[in-house]
Structures are given as structure tokens and as C-alpha cells.
Amino acid sequence: MSDEDTALGEAANAAEAVSNTRVLDVVARSGFAVMALLHIVIGAIAIALAFGQPGQAEPTGAIEQLAANPWGPGVMWAGLIGCAGLSLWQLSEATLRARHLPAGQRLGKLISSGFLAVAYGSVGLTFAGFAVGLRGDSGDSTRDFSTALVQGPLGVPALIALGLTVIGVGIYFIVKGVRKQFKEELHHFEGTRRGRMISALGVAGHVAKGIALILAGLLFVVAAATNRPGESTGLDGSLKALRDHPAGPFLLMAIAAGLISYGLFALVRARFGRM
């Protein structure tokens, strides 16, 4: 091994040690709690959509609901800090700690944790926008991003690749839920009523979140295939499109219940999860 490789290895070890500090642990756990709250609010908005009520069933809509409360400004800054810490923690999972995994698992960890790092960072920026008085519609942001991506050098293939990546992450969540792989992230509750309840929340929540991501990813792929990037409207657009089908309201209610379940599971993850 060369001196350069040794120096890089020592730098990576030092960075990993920093990522294991108590401060980042606490902030990342608060980020899980923030995301739990958002999933519960999004689930509640999705239920309202199933009954024909207006709303945005995505992070921006949920953050807008939280910002409207008297304690809104404090919640916005707390949400920003929590999401930023969680994004940094996921980034360290995708890079620093993934290097210890077998080669076959390394790529999967890079994609899944890397995607989540970007997603949590994006939610953190939304909190920041609301904190300083800049509010937006995530559907509009998604459309603008998709349009800009299509007009870029790689164009349609890039948008299809993005959609397939989102679909892949959705499949990952479903598999994780069905196989109960989320149990590896928790301190054991096996053999207790509480453990069975947490397991049920984990299964329902991961499967519902996976389905929601697949629907959102499909919108990207369809928008790219039809060369209409304006139709890629993210989670909110996919759930509203689902509502328009004959059995849509019932499916939307099921997904909403699953998202709330995921939120409750994430609260448990925030308190008892392995970091």
C-alpha cells in the first residue's frame, strides 16, 4: 500500500470517528423524529385527499401545516437541524461505513443511503425556506427540475434513470419491510407485545413507503417516455393520480395508513434504533 493510500485510509478513519460522535447521534435521532412527524402528517393529508379535500401529500405540504402553528418558526429551525444531521449521518453510512461491507453489498448501501442523504437534505432545505419566509410547491419544484434535466446533455435517459432509481429505492423499502430487515436497526423487542406491534408497524410502513416511491418513480419514467417532463409531480402528484382511478380512494387510504405506520415506526427508530 502506498503512502497516499495510507493517508487516505487514515483520513477516512478520522472522518468515521467524527461521524460516530454523540452530538451527531443525537441530532440524527432528532432527524428521524422529524421525518416521523412528516410521514404522519403526510398520511393525514392523504386521507383528506381520499375524501376529496384539498392538500399537498408530500413534505412541503406537511411542513406548511407545521409552519402554520404558533410554534411554527421554532419547529422550522429544529426541522432544519434534524434533517441536516440525518443527511450527514446517511452520507457517512453510504461512504465511510459502507467501505467495511463486502463488495457485493457496498453498491447497494451507496445507492440506498446516498439517496436518503439527498432526500433528507432536500427536506432540510425546505424547512430552511419556510424558516426564512420562502415557501414553495414541491410539485412545481419537481416539474422544474425534470424539465431542466430533460433539457440537459443527457436529457430523457437521465430522467428515466432518475425514475428507475426512485423505483429501485421503493422496491428496496418493500423488500426490507416484507423480510423484516428493519429489525437489524432496532434494539431487540422480540417476544413481547410491544415487539410484535413495532414489527407490524415496520412491515406496513416500509411497504407503503415503497409503493409511494414506486408510484412517484413511475411518473418520472412516463414523463420521460412521453417527453412531457411537466407531468412528473412527485409524491403528491402520484397519489392524486391514484385517487382518480375507480378503486383509488381505497388504495389511497391504505397507503395513507401505511405512511402513518411508517411515521410511528420512525418514532421508535428515533428512540431505540441502532446508530
Side-chain angles (χ1 to χ4, degrees):
M1 180 179 295
S2 66
D3 292 341
E4 183 179 351
D5 290 337
T6 301
L8 288 174
E10 291 176 352
N13 290 335
E16 184 176 354
V18 171
S19 72
N20 290 329
T21 59
R22 177 65 177 168
V23 172
L24 184 57
D25 179 275
V26 172
V27 176
R29 287 182 186 276
S30 71
F32 275 118
V34 169
M35 295 306 299
L37 180 59
L38 289 183
H39 277 84
I40 292 171
V41 175
I42 291 171
I45 294 173
I47 291 175
L49 290 178
F51 286 97
Q53 299 298 313
Q56 294 182 15
E58 36 73 45
T60 300
I63 293 172
E64 184 176 20
Q65 296 284 337
L66 296 174
N69 290 292
W71 57 87
V75 174
M76 296 301 100
W77 288 112
L80 167 60
I81 294 170
C83 288
L86 186 53
S87 179
L88 286 174
W89 182 78
Q90 286 289 359
L91 184 61
S92 68
E93 285 283 293
T95 55
L96 299 173
R97 279 182 279 277
R99 63 198 176 101
H100 302 301
L101 296 174
Q105 300 177 18
R106 206 171 299 158
L107 179 60
K109 188 65 175 176
L110 175 63
I111 293 174
S112 60
S113 291
F115 176 87
L116 290 175
V118 173
Y120 295 144
S122 175
V123 174
L125 288 176
T126 304
F127 272 111
F130 274 85
V132 299
L134 299 176
R135 305 187 177 194
D137 183 297
S138 69
D140 291 339
S141 299
T142 304
R143 280 190 291 266
D144 293 342
F145 173 77
S146 299
T147 301
L149 191 62
V150 166
Q151 293 173 350
L154 297 178
V156 172
L159 188 57
I160 291 176
L162 175 61
L164 292 177
T165 300
V166 175
I167 290 172
V169 175
I171 293 172
Y172 164 78
F173 268 93
I174 292 175
V175 172
K176 184 178 180 180
V178 171
R179 295 184 176 179
K180 299 182 180 180
Q181 294 173 340
F182 53 82
K183 288 186 175 182
E184 300 170 2
E185 302 172 354
L186 294 171
H187 295 291
H188 294 296
F189 291 102
E190 297 294 340
T192 65
R193 180 178 298 177
R194 181 169 60 174
R196 290 189 290 272
M197 183 179 298
I198 292 171
S199 181
L201 288 173
V203 172
H206 281 81
V207 170
K209 185 175 176 69
I211 292 172
L213 286 170
I214 289 173
L215 291 174
L218 283 173
L219 281 187
F220 282 115
V221 174
V222 171
T226 58
N227 199 25
R228 289 185 287 186
E231 294 186 359
S232 55
T233 52
L235 176 61
D236 181 62
S238 64
L239 292 181
K240 287 177 178 175
L242 178 65
R243 180 187 58 185
D244 295 334
H245 288 272
F250 300 101
L251 295 175
L252 190 53
M253 288 284 289
I255 293 175
L259 290 174
I260 293 173
S261 296
Y262 185 86
L264 295 174
F265 172 83
L267 283 177
V268 176
R269 174 77 173 84
R271 175 63 181 86
F272 300 104
R274 301 180 187 276
M275 301 295 286

